Amino acid sequence: MTLATATLLVLIAGHAVRETARDALFLADLPATRLPWAYLAIAVGAIAVGAANRLLLDRFSHLRLLIGTLVIGVIVDLGFWQIASAPTPGTLLGLYAWTGLLGTAVTLQLWLHLADVFDVAEAKRVFPWVAAGGLTGAVLGSVLAGALLEVTETRSLLLASAALLLVSAGVASLLSSRHEIQSPQEDRSSSPSLLELLGSSYLRQITLLAVCVAMLATGIDFVFKDAVERSIPTDELGSFFARFHAVVNLAALGLDLLLASWLLRHLGVTRAIAVFPVLILASAGAFAGLGGLAAALLLKAVDEALRQSLYEPSAQVLYQPLSVQTRNAAKTAVESIGRRGGQALSSLLILGVASAGLGAREIGAGLVALALLALFALRGLRREYVARFQQRLRGLAGEARAEIPSLELDSLEVLVSNLSSPEDAEVLTAIDLLESYGRSALVSPLLLHHPSPKVVLRALGILQTADHPHLDGILERLLEHGDAEVRAGALNAVAARDGETAQVERLLHSDPSPAVRMTAVIALAARHEDPAQARAFLAKLLDGAAVEEKIAVARALPRLPCPVASESALRLIADRDVPAAKELAQALSNETELDPGWIPTLIALLSRREARPPARSALLSQGERALAALDSALRDPDTDDAVRRHLPRTIHRFGSAAAAAILVRAMPKSDPAVCYKILRGLGRMRANDPDLALPEAELAEEAKDGLERAIGMLHFRVGYYTWSGLHGVDGGDARDLLGEVLEDKEARALERVFRVLHIAEPQAEFDAIFEALRTPGHPMQAEGLELIEHLVAAELRDGVLAMVGPDAAADRLRRATRSHGLPHARALADALPADGEVDALKDRQALDAALEPLFGQMLADEDPILVSIAQHRWTEISDALKPLAGARRQSPR
Amino acid sequence: MSAETRLDRVLALAAIPELADLHPDDLASLAEQAEEQTVSADDACAVRLLLSGRVEAGPSRTPIAAPAMIGAVEALAGVAFPVRAVSDAWVLAIERPALLWVMSDVFETMLAMLRHTAARWLLAEDLEAEPVTREGSAPPLDRPVSLAHRILLLSGCEIFRSLRVHGLGRVASEMEELELPAQSILWEPGARASHCFAVIDGSVEIGAEPFRSAPLLQRPGAVLGLRRVISGGERNTRAVSTTPVRVLRLAGESLVDELEDDPEMAAAFLESLAHQTLRAESANPKQPEPRP
């Protein structure tokens, strides 16, 4: 940064000296009305320079090009010094144009180089300082020019400017070139064309802004010099320009140091830029109304001071969301079309105004209109600026979760052909897929002849209630199948279809498999009308039943009236050593018209991993009734934790606004694990339906809670390490459990904040931003911070920025507590010495006071893991401090 | 990628035994991240899903026929695993970062990998006692043992060592403390592997029946029976306390639930499992090569 600042300082100092010489020499011999021709010459020349610049960039880096241009500048300055002894109008026009072109070319090359070297966060910090270097150079250059004019003639200033250019070339050669290892040839292939650039609405807006600002600068320069020419004697022009530029540049420097950086950080890029046209609007209005030298000086001073100190550095930041190739091409294009096109257009307009016999005040009125146009160009630019960052972040993220593709004719053919695959797994998946697509009717009864019992059982589940003319016959044959599970399944299907009791009774008495006999018993019991008898019968059946018999019961239970069957179902589920839960859930999900009385059983089945998918599917098919039951279960404090933790993801599958509202309402009362699941569920709902209505106020409150939790954990961690340092306590266990757990809790609380933000505004890409910020070395970290500045609501912004920023923990705590009033955390942040060293007794006392309640607060925390680890650590510390006579000992409570 | 191609991939992936239990949507997530590959020897860390044809895999060029998942454990451990086609082969490759990414979002794929990795470890070492890094640590005196001590106990075990404290705390919270007399059976052959155990105090002997070699004697800090809990299935060994013991018992479902709740912890756990598996395989060269 220092070298970049020094380069710009010397470079601009040289430019200020040359500019003073140019203006004085020009206005001494030529009238101000010739200035528009000079502006035109600059504009035309700049287009040629821009084209040359693009060509040369293919061969040379920005830095090399800058150094080369500076060296050429030295030679040309010396040439002008030589011929300016007897100036002609052509020489003066040439000098005027050269000064403008050289100034533009070298500053552009330097900024392009800096944009390559710094990311957006560094740019926002560094660019104002570099710009300040430029302003300092302008002040020094103007002062130097004034001093030289006391002792020598105006022409000699060109010698001084050549010398300063030479020095700046030397300093520039020391600049870092860390980003210039890319081969320019490689860049060229991906550089967008001018048409592509202008196809971007963002770049069109930037170009329009640049055109307006260039036109303003040209118009203001003209009215200023016109007023000067009318009011200042020719022999005083040189010293007048030197003094004026010195004063204005000094003001610009002051603004830059005191205000520009602050404005950029606090208003954001586009609002900071808007300050410039607003003030131009006011001063141009004053000039248009009043006219005269004073108003012209004010207008020029506002333009010079704000353009250099505020507008230019802010406008440079506008290019940061673009890729390196686009940025380079865009800057060159905006420079050529925007700045020089604006200058040319402005020159032509001034010539037109002059030929129409109108004066400077009319031009002032035109400046008012231009300032308004510049403000118009800024409309929506912030949104576009943010969108560019999001686009780049999105390019690095993506969606891991995919779904089966939508069903087309070709896909349908693939599925149906896979039903005859030799691989059982492929057949089973094809059946699953057809069921997912709602095309179960395409599952052919022929599959019931499949050699694999697994396939036959799966097909039976689908086909058991199908209206197929030959199905009863096939089922009858399956009752004689060699595999007992298939026979039981077929029997179950027969019962589901209200088949003949005789068949069932035959199997009950003749089948060798207990599982088949058990199925037959249930089928018969299902036809029993007395629930009490059926209940007693089932209880007897399950007592002492073998595993495969219990599985058979689970498969057949949906045949029984609900209250009776669901009681037995709960008994079956309770036995975790029997894999009956999955079979029961699958059987329930196969039912086309399931009794709602099964809902509590289905909810209980959620506690079993293998049963969860079919249980969820069955709950979904129950619709609103199931959703209401799930809501009650989530709110009921007596719900088993093993069930509760799976409720959020079950509820989210309903995908409705009502489901989302249930989840959002449950968040504040849920434990962290359930809350995390709720957030994941809501995130998935948002991904599936970005327009889903969600209660915004509750979400905002949740984000705030998460942020305060994260700050609280940071407070504990900073406090713990500070306390340990002050008391000379070492790390304790080989593993620093307390430090680690506090870091984990902080990270998880921050993750919670970003999940909520993402749910509230999925299009803002908060998930990608968080991923970028928490991944060490991620290339988009600076962009992530920039996006937070623009996207996060004001009440959270500073706190979030502090917490995710790259600063040390203590500094993050200080920043975070400035915007979030956690009294204990703020007390510690205030007491922490700025340099980390506790020197004075006063510091120590304040720190001790802030740290005194620390362990007590940790032990009173809501998180049992943190409490246990803090207690453990306190015991360790107490044991370690016991032998130290006079050591400070405090109770943790 | 056309819908037809995606569907083809989903159906072909379903034929791979390790992935057979996945829902078609989960298979679609894997298929989405995979790239069709011409297989030739290289050292990239990718999981190869062999959908048709035959290949040779690994340094010993083990022949493998489709359908098969190849090099998953190696990819998770970041170890090179060359694969070479010996006939026309249709192979989908998933690079390690893409795999971790899918698994973090679609837990069922993570679970499939956990099961596959644990099963491979069991093939190499079926006497289930996880390596302990901190031998001889004094048993905690508090009763019941505090959460902090539980965390320390778990973090002394190689497989849990890389987990963050928050995750260890969650797992430790799910553990149930038991005091058992000598000769208590923790598990026996044929029992469903539903729980694993961490020994707080006392010693436990594990052996296969009939004993092929001397049974293992495990002391405080040891975690027992974890692999089978993850891989699923029934025990083929017996674990008996040789002294009165204090153990922490963890239900496999609770562990899996915790892993599902914390994808980062699950990924760290899976990587640790992969490293342990490869270490066990290299220590026991008699173990079967990847499935032909």
Side-chain angles (χ1 to χ4, degrees):
Chain A
M1 183 180 85
T2 313
L3 279 174
T5 308
T7 305
L8 194 64
L9 187 150
V10 182
L11 195 153
I12 295 293
H15 180 71
V17 171
R18 190 182 312 103
E19 205 174 35
T20 305
R22 173 196 74 172
D23 290 348
L25 288 170
F26 190 96
L27 288 180
D29 283 6
L30 298 173
T33 48
R34 302 284 289 273
L35 278 171
W37 295 106
Y39 300 148
L40 265 180
I42 293 174
V44 173
I47 291 168
V49 168
N53 206 40
R54 278 175 79 100
L55 281 176
L56 290 169
L57 273 177
D58 289 341
R59 288 172 166 271
F60 305 106
S61 67
H62 293 126
L63 189 57
R64 288 189 179 184
L65 210 54
L66 170 66
I67 296 167
T69 311
L70 289 170
V71 171
I72 292 170
V74 173
I75 298 164
V76 177
D77 268 5
L78 290 174
F80 272 115
W81 170 75
Q82 182 65 34
I83 58 176
S85 55
T88 62
T91 308
L92 293 172
L93 274 173
L95 175 62
Y96 204 103
W98 162 248
T99 305
L101 288 173
L102 181 67
T104 304
V106 292
T107 46
L108 174 69
Q109 286 158 0
L110 181 63
W111 282 117
L112 279 172
H113 168 72
L114 297 180
D116 284 350
V117 173
F118 298 110
D119 64 32
V120 66
E122 291 168 331
K124 287 176 85 174
R125 198 174 61 249
V126 168
F127 283 9
W129 287 104
V130 177
L135 290 169
T136 310
V139 174
L140 294 177
S142 304
V143 171
L144 178 66
L148 286 173
L149 285 173
E150 296 290 323
V151 294
T152 183
E153 58 179 344
T154 309
R155 184 176 74 105
S156 305
L157 295 182
L158 293 170
L159 273 181
S161 73
L164 287 166
L165 277 185
L166 195 61
V167 174
S168 64
V171 182
S173 66
L174 303 174
L175 283 173
S176 155
S177 57
R178 82 179 195 219
H179 280 259
E180 299 194 353
I181 49 171
Q182 280 178 307
S183 158
Q185 287 298 333
E186 281 171 12
D187 288 348
R188 186 184 186 183
S189 61
S190 50
S191 284
S193 68
L194 191 60
L195 275 178
E196 284 170 327
L197 290 173
L198 291 177
S200 151
S201 58
Y202 182 61
L203 289 176
R204 279 203 306 273
Q205 276 185 278
I206 294 181
T207 308
L208 176 61
L209 183 68
V211 167
C212 292
V213 172
M215 289 181 77
L216 282 169
T218 309
I220 290 169
D221 192 61
F222 177 79
V223 296
F224 163 69
K225 285 176 181 162
D226 181 62
V228 169
E229 191 208 10
R230 289 170 197 276
S231 313
I232 307 294
T234 307
D235 57 345
E236 292 176 20
L237 281 174
S239 54
F240 170 80
F241 280 125
R243 278 200 307 276
F244 177 78
H245 286 311
V247 170
V248 169
N249 288 329
L250 197 61
L253 180 62
L255 277 175
D256 186 74
L257 293 177
L258 299 175
L259 206 59
S261 189
W262 185 88
L263 281 175
L264 195 51
R265 274 205 310 273
H266 288 83
L267 295 184
V269 178
T270 50
R271 289 196 193 101
I273 290 175
V275 172
F276 174 67
V278 165
L279 290 178
I280 290 286
L281 182 69
S283 48
F287 179 79
L290 303 170
L293 181 64
L297 289 179
L298 173 70
L299 182 57
K300 178 68 175 172
V302 168
D303 173 57
E304 287 269 307
L306 284 178
R307 191 154 41 85
Q308 295 175 58
S309 64
L310 185 61
Y311 172 76
E312 289 291 353
S314 307
Q316 296 300 324
V317 176
L318 284 179
Y319 295 98
Q320 291 301 129
L322 306 173
S323 68
V324 175
Q325 291 87 351
T326 310
R327 185 194 306 151
N328 291 342
K331 276 195 178 184
T332 311
V334 169
E335 190 62 32
S336 310
I337 298 170
R339 190 171 293 196
R340 295 311 156 202
Q343 197 171 29
L345 191 59
S346 188
S347 309
L348 292 172
L349 284 173
I350 294 169
L351 286 171
V353 167
S355 65
L358 300 172
R361 288 174 66 178
E362 283 75 12
I363 294 176
L367 294 174
V368 169
L370 274 174
L372 286 170
L373 187 60
L375 285 171
F376 175 77
L378 283 168
R379 272 188 63 209
L381 195 61
R382 176 178 172 271
R383 195 177 57 242
E384 293 273 345
Y385 171 76
V386 169
R388 290 299 173 290
F389 276 122
Q390 287 171 319
Q391 203 173 8
R392 290 187 67 189
L393 266 176
R394 206 175 294 135
L396 298 175
E399 182 67 36
R401 192 177 288 265
E403 287 178 359
I404 48 172
S406 57
L407 197 58
E408 302 154 2
L409 189 60
D410 289 343
S411 310
L412 201 60
E413 280 178 13
V414 169
L415 283 183
V416 173
S417 71
N418 265 276
L419 291 176
S420 52
S421 164
E423 294 286 344
D424 293 352
E426 286 190 23
V427 181
L428 290 168
T429 305
I431 297 174
D432 287 346
L433 283 165
L434 285 168
E435 192 183 24
S436 303
Y437 287 126
R439 300 296 187 99
S440 302
L442 292 173
V443 176
S444 164
L446 285 174
L447 280 175
L448 297 176
H449 299 297
H450 199 279
S452 160
K454 266 189 172 178
V455 172
V456 176
L457 282 169
R458 183 74 185 96
L460 273 173
I462 298 275
L463 293 166
Q464 63 180 7
T465 52
D467 184 20
H468 195 282
H470 307 301
L471 192 58
D472 290 329
I474 298 173
L475 288 175
E476 204 166 311
R477 275 200 293 279
L478 285 180
L479 292 174
E480 310 301 326
H481 199 279
D483 185 277
E485 270 197 278
V486 173
R487 290 201 303 279
L491 184 57
N492 215 7
V494 167
R497 297 168 70 81
D498 290 330
E500 289 175 23
T501 309
Q503 290 271 37
V504 182
E505 284 184 344
R506 181 178 64 80
L507 284 167
L508 174 64
H509 295 111
S510 65
D511 199 284
S513 160
V516 177
R517 292 201 300 274
M518 196 76 88
T519 309
V521 168
I522 290 176
L524 289 174
R527 294 171 189 199
H528 216 291
E529 291 191 353
D530 181 357
Q533 275 190 349
R535 188 175 282 119
F537 181 69
L538 256 181
K540 195 174 165 193
L541 206 60
L542 284 173
D543 280 341
V547 170
E548 59 273 24
E549 290 168 334
K550 287 183 178 172
I551 289 172
V553 170
R555 285 177 181 157
L557 274 180
R559 302 280 71 75
L560 289 172
C562 183
V564 178
S566 56
E567 286 164 21
S568 303
L570 292 173
R571 194 176 149 192
L572 270 175
I573 299 167
D575 187 351
R576 290 190 167 257
D577 286 334
V578 179
K582 182 184 175 185
E583 301 302 335
L584 175 62
Q586 188 64 57
L588 291 172
S589 76
N590 285 340
E591 291 294 309
T592 46
E593 289 175 14
L594 188 66
D595 187 329
W598 280 103
I599 288 175
T601 311
L602 288 168
I603 292 177
L605 279 166
L606 293 175
S607 67
R608 302 291 294 272
R609 169 165 296 279
E610 69 279 11
R612 219 169 286 144
R616 279 179 174 151
S617 163
L619 282 166
L620 267 179
S621 64
Q622 288 287 313
E624 292 303 310
R625 218 172 347 211
L627 185 60
L630 288 164
D631 182 19
S632 304
L634 190 58
R635 282 187 283 118
D636 185 354
D638 294 332
T639 301
D640 183 359
D641 280 348
V643 171
R644 186 194 304 281
R645 69 194 306 169
H646 300 294
L647 294 175
R649 289 207 188 160
T650 310
I651 293 171
H652 105 249
R653 275 158 215 251
F654 284 79
S656 61
I662 290 171
L663 291 177
V664 174
R665 272 202 314 271
M667 266 195 293
K669 296 166 211 146
S670 301
D671 75 61
V674 174
C675 191
Y676 183 72
K677 291 216 166 199
I678 289 177
L679 287 173
R680 287 190 71 155
L682 285 169
R684 184 57 52 200
M685 288 173 90
R686 265 295 201 210
N688 293 340
D689 179 8
D691 298 325
L692 185 73
L694 289 171
E696 288 175 13
E698 281 93 335
L699 284 176
E701 197 55 35
E702 187 62 28
K704 186 167 167 262
D705 282 354
L707 180 60
E708 290 183 352
R709 177 77 179 153
I711 297 171
M713 292 300 110
L714 179 63
H715 157 229
F716 284 161
R717 191 153 61 92
V718 171
Y720 164 57
Y721 285 129
T722 308
W723 191 93
S724 300
L726 288 176
H727 291 80
V729 177
D730 66 11
D733 286 311
R735 191 164 178 174
D736 177 18
L737 290 187
L738 187 52
E740 263 193 60
V741 81
L742 290 171
E743 200 178 334
D744 287 351
K745 302 283 173 194
E746 180 191 329
R748 289 182 75 84
L750 273 177
E751 183 183 347
R752 181 172 142 208
V753 175
F754 276 87
R755 280 189 182 276
V756 175
L757 292 174
H758 181 67
I759 290 162
E761 283 185 79
Q763 70 285 359
E765 307 291 338
F766 280 115
D767 54 345
I769 294 172
F770 184 60
E771 195 56 38
L773 290 173
R774 74 171 178 169
T775 309
H778 196 287
M780 299 293 284
Q781 282 183 336
E783 285 78 357
L785 290 172
E786 180 68 6
L787 281 173
I788 291 173
E789 267 197 50
H790 287 274
L791 297 173
V792 175
E795 61 269 23
L796 291 180
R797 188 188 306 132
D798 289 345
V800 172
L801 276 172
M803 292 302 290
V804 298
D807 300 333
D811 294 331
R812 290 196 292 125
L813 182 67
R814 270 193 211 98
R815 278 187 66 193
T817 50
R818 265 183 229 142
S819 52
H820 285 80
L822 301 168
H824 293 298
R826 186 173 288 180
L828 175 61
D830 291 343
L832 285 170
D835 56 1
E837 296 294 326
V838 184
D839 292 330
L841 184 61
K842 191 181 164 195
D843 284 351
R844 174 64 194 251
Q845 282 172 341
L847 207 48
D848 280 340
L851 291 170
E852 193 179 332
L854 189 77
F855 270 93
Q857 288 159 3
M858 281 195 260
L859 292 171
D861 194 79
E862 65 195 31
D863 187 313
I865 299 174
L866 171 58
V867 171
S868 176
I869 291 174
Q871 179 69 62
H872 172 76
R873 183 73 186 122
W874 178 255
T875 310
E876 277 186 336
I877 289 171
S878 304
D879 291 346
L881 292 181
K882 259 180 205 163
L884 301 175
R888 290 169 61 87
R889 299 272 304 273
Q890 293 143 0
S891 164
R893 293 247 178 221
Chain B
M1 199 194 320
S2 71
E4 196 184 345
T5 311
R6 285 170 67 191
L7 213 54
D8 270 339
R9 285 187 177 186
V10 168
L11 287 163
L13 287 177
I16 295 175
E18 293 85 350
L19 308 178
D21 289 338
L22 292 182
H23 186 273
D25 278 341
D26 303 337
L27 292 171
S29 300
L30 275 177
E32 194 70 25
Q33 298 301 323
E35 285 185 14
E36 290 201 28
Q37 201 178 61
T38 308
V39 184
S40 57
D42 62 54
D43 57 0
C45 292
V47 179
R48 267 66 167 233
L49 302 161
L50 181 63
L51 305 181
S52 68
R54 296 179 68 83
V55 297
E56 290 175 345
S60 55
R61 294 190 173 188
T62 310
I64 297 177
M69 181 163 70
I70 307 165
V73 176
E74 289 77 5
L76 290 164
V79 174
F81 193 69
V83 179
R84 192 192 309 269
V86 291
S87 71
D88 286 345
W90 178 25
V91 179
L92 298 181
I94 305 183
E95 297 296 331
R96 187 172 180 273
L99 179 67
L100 288 171
W101 189 35
V102 173
M103 290 192 303
S104 70
D105 204 33
V106 185
F107 182 71
E108 296 309 319
T109 58
M110 172 79 78
L111 190 56
M113 290 296 166
L114 282 165
R115 285 178 175 152
H116 167 65
T117 310
R120 247 180 81 171
W121 192 359
L122 278 166
L123 279 176
E125 281 179 355
D126 63 358
L127 289 181
E128 295 187 73
E130 319 311 338
V132 182
T133 52
R134 282 197 313 174
E135 291 286 352
S137 53
L141 298 175
D142 46 351
R143 284 170 194 264
V145 65
S146 71
L147 199 54
H149 274 128
R150 290 177 180 207
I151 293 169
L152 284 170
L153 196 75
L154 284 180
S155 61
C157 178
E158 190 73 36
I159 199 156
F160 288 108
R161 198 172 54 158
S162 61
L163 305 194
R164 300 286 305 172
V165 175
H166 167 81
L168 284 173
R170 297 279 316 167
V171 172
S173 310
E174 294 292 327
M175 298 178 105
E176 178 190 6
E177 188 172 338
L178 301 174
E179 292 200 33
L180 304 170
Q183 299 306 311
S184 297
I185 295 173
L186 300 188
W187 70 75
E188 55 188 341
R192 194 169 76 91
S194 55
H195 293 82
C196 60
F197 302 84
V199 181
I200 305 169
D201 197 4
S203 53
V204 174
E205 195 176 67
I206 308 173
E209 287 185 340
F211 290 125
R212 290 195 295 267
S213 57
L216 285 171
L217 197 61
Q218 293 298 323
R219 293 203 164 82
V223 173
L224 313 174
L226 177 67
R227 281 167 249 171
R228 187 74 67 183
V229 163
I230 296 168
S231 71
E234 294 174 353
R235 302 282 188 193
N236 60 358
T237 56
R238 180 188 301 276
V240 184
S241 60
T242 54
T243 63
V245 288
R246 269 205 300 160
V247 292
L248 293 170
R249 187 170 73 162
L250 174 66
E253 281 210 19
S254 302
L255 174 64
V256 172
D257 280 346
E258 291 302 335
L259 294 175
E260 183 174 11
D261 284 354
D262 190 341
E264 279 179 34
M265 173 166 76
F269 184 77
L270 178 55
E271 281 181 32
S272 176
L273 202 63
H275 282 292
Q276 297 294 328
T277 300
L278 293 182
R279 206 169 296 163
E281 284 180 354
S282 65
N284 181 9
K286 286 184 290 183
Q287 58 89 30
E289 288 286 346
R291 183 170 45 80

